[in-house]
Amino acid sequence: MLTLLGLGSTEETIYRTILENPSYGVTELSLELGWPVHLIRSTLDELARLSLLRPSWEEPDVLRLVRPEVGLAALLAREEAALLNRQQEIERGRTTVAQMIATYADHNPAQLSGDSETLVGIDTIRARIEELSAECRQELLGFEPQGAQTPDNIEASRPLDRALLERGVAMRTIYLDSVRNDQPTMGYAGWLTEHGGRVRTVPSLPLRMIVFDRRAALVPTNPEDSGTGAVLLRGAGVVTALIALFEQTWETAIPLGEEHRTDEKGLSSQEREILRLLSIGLTDEAVARRLDVSVRTLRRVTAGLMERLDARSRFQAGYLAAVRGWLPTCP
């Protein structure tokens, strides 16, 4: 558990023994653990280097226990500072990468090919969706990350979806969990299921996507604003990868008629996703946009998680969440 604070298994074992028996010296520790004296001494020196032990004022050759709330808190603060520095480095790296990609794009404009087609403007995109839907015969897969659907989007989608379902096309759509609080969107999702479609929801989605008959995939050129432009992809490799992304997301999504479940740690899917997004450095505002919830709601859920973790700061919450296995293990 204390590995993240710089303690190895040997140091942690001796430190825990001292916590339970503060009066133990080298001899007592050696007898208690059955370890050689030289190993005990070298480990005590390491604990002193970490400021978990200090020389006695009365007996300079003897190391005394530093109160855990002081010693461990100092180590945790050091790790928090390192984590903050790392997150800042990642953010600077992200900015640099974006600049390099923009520079490359300026000097290497995209070219149309047999495997891709660039679409600009909502009218062009909708017209292409109508054509592809008319050609679709077997299956349509979709990500809908915008949250609540506007009346215009619903009315534009209904005739296309009706025609697909009447032809027997297998439709599977994944919405955000937030649509469960929007009556018009839930009404439309219910209409889809009544006519043979299948609908599930997840806390967040990476981008808007439609896959037609496992042969063509439509994705936005800018995931943050799908109305500015889209790319139609037909290459077998990239379409297969997008289908794999859809299937993986589908397996973890909650069917429309089912209630949200908690995992063995008592976390909801929304809470797990909030922890994941915050752990990769997204701001409250960015996380709220991904989940289609208000910043106020996000902060309320985050505050609840910090209370359950007994954490006094975001960094401490991240550390404790990692220790308890609430976050994916990072390589």
Side-chain angles (χ1 to χ4, degrees):
M1 178 179 176
L2 298 181
T3 303
L4 293 176
L5 296 182
L7 276 72
S9 59
T10 302
E11 288 81 6
E12 181 172 350
T13 298
I14 290 182
Y15 182 64
R16 288 182 180 275
T17 303
I18 296 174
L19 286 177
E20 297 171 1
N21 306 275
S23 63
Y24 274 14
V26 174
T27 302
E28 291 84 357
L29 289 170
S30 179
L31 292 173
E32 174 76 16
L33 299 173
W35 292 356
V37 169
H38 70 86
L39 177 59
I40 300 293
R41 291 187 184 279
S42 62
T43 305
L44 292 177
D45 290 341
E46 178 62 16
L47 292 173
R49 186 188 69 80
L50 293 171
S51 299
L52 297 176
L53 300 177
R54 60 170 177 76
S56 168
W57 294 103
E58 299 173 349
E59 304 174 81
D61 294 334
V62 176
L63 294 174
R64 299 297 186 193
L65 180 68
V66 175
R67 292 180 64 84
E69 62 267 32
V70 175
L72 290 177
L75 287 182
L76 182 59
R78 184 189 68 183
E79 293 301 319
E80 289 177 347
L83 176 60
L84 176 60
N85 183 62
R86 179 58 177 159
Q87 288 177 331
Q88 292 172 339
E89 290 178 353
I90 291 173
E91 190 59 37
R92 289 193 292 269
R94 182 181 292 114
T95 300
T96 301
V97 168
Q99 292 171 344
M100 294 174 68
I101 291 173
T103 300
Y104 177 83
D106 289 341
H107 293 85
N108 299 272
Q111 301 293 324
L112 294 176
S113 71
D115 289 340
S116 67
E117 176 185 348
T118 301
L119 309 173
V120 179
I122 294 178
D123 289 339
T124 302
I125 294 171
R126 284 187 172 176
R128 200 70 179 95
I129 290 175
E130 290 175 0
E131 295 172 5
L132 292 163
S133 297
E135 297 170 358
C136 187
R137 290 292 180 270
Q138 298 176 342
E139 182 183 54
L140 186 141
L141 311 175
F143 280 168
E144 293 287 351
Q146 298 93 335
Q149 304 295 295
T150 66
D152 286 345
N153 282 341
I154 291 175
E155 290 310 308
S157 300
R158 192 183 298 274
L160 300 179
D161 292 343
R162 179 185 289 112
L164 287 163
L165 293 168
E166 289 177 351
R167 287 202 304 273
V169 173
M171 285 187 63
R172 286 189 288 162
T173 307
I174 303 178
Y175 288 94
L176 295 183
D177 286 341
S178 64
V179 305
R180 293 174 181 261
N181 300 316
D182 183 74
Q183 186 174 356
T185 306
M186 283 297 289
Y188 186 67
W191 178 86
L192 285 174
T193 58
E194 289 171 4
H195 288 77
R198 299 172 66 191
V199 177
R200 294 185 178 184
T201 68
V202 293
S204 74
L205 289 166
L207 76 170
R208 186 161 192 257
M209 177 177 74
I210 310 175
V211 181
F212 303 88
D213 282 338
R214 296 185 173 247
R215 293 198 301 266
L218 191 66
V219 297
T221 53
N222 178 6
E224 299 297 327
D225 185 4
S226 59
T228 58
V231 178
L232 179 63
L233 304 168
R234 296 184 183 276
V238 68
V239 173
T240 299
L242 291 173
I243 292 171
L245 173 63
F246 179 91
E247 296 293 357
Q248 183 182 37
T249 307
W250 181 263
E251 288 301 314
T252 61
I254 305 298
L256 191 64
E258 293 186 12
E259 296 295 327
H260 285 93
R261 302 182 294 267
T262 57
D263 61 17
E264 67 279 2
K265 299 178 180 65
L267 294 171
S268 68
S269 57
Q270 183 189 63
E271 289 171 332
R272 289 195 304 271
E273 186 66 1
I274 287 174
L275 285 171
R276 186 186 73 82
L277 295 174
L278 290 175
S279 73
I280 62 176
L282 295 188
T283 64
D284 286 353
E285 290 74 14
V287 175
R289 284 197 302 272
R290 288 284 292 271
L291 273 63
D292 189 41
V293 300
S294 67
V295 174
R296 180 178 180 181
T297 296
L298 172 70
R299 288 174 176 165
R300 175 177 55 78
V301 176
T302 303
L305 289 168
M306 290 179 65
E307 182 177 356
R308 288 163 62 184
L309 288 163
D310 195 22
R312 294 185 297 274
S313 69
R314 288 286 186 87
F315 296 113
Q316 187 181 22
Y319 166 73
L320 293 174
V323 168
R324 296 185 187 182
W326 291 12
L327 292 173
T329 301
C330 296

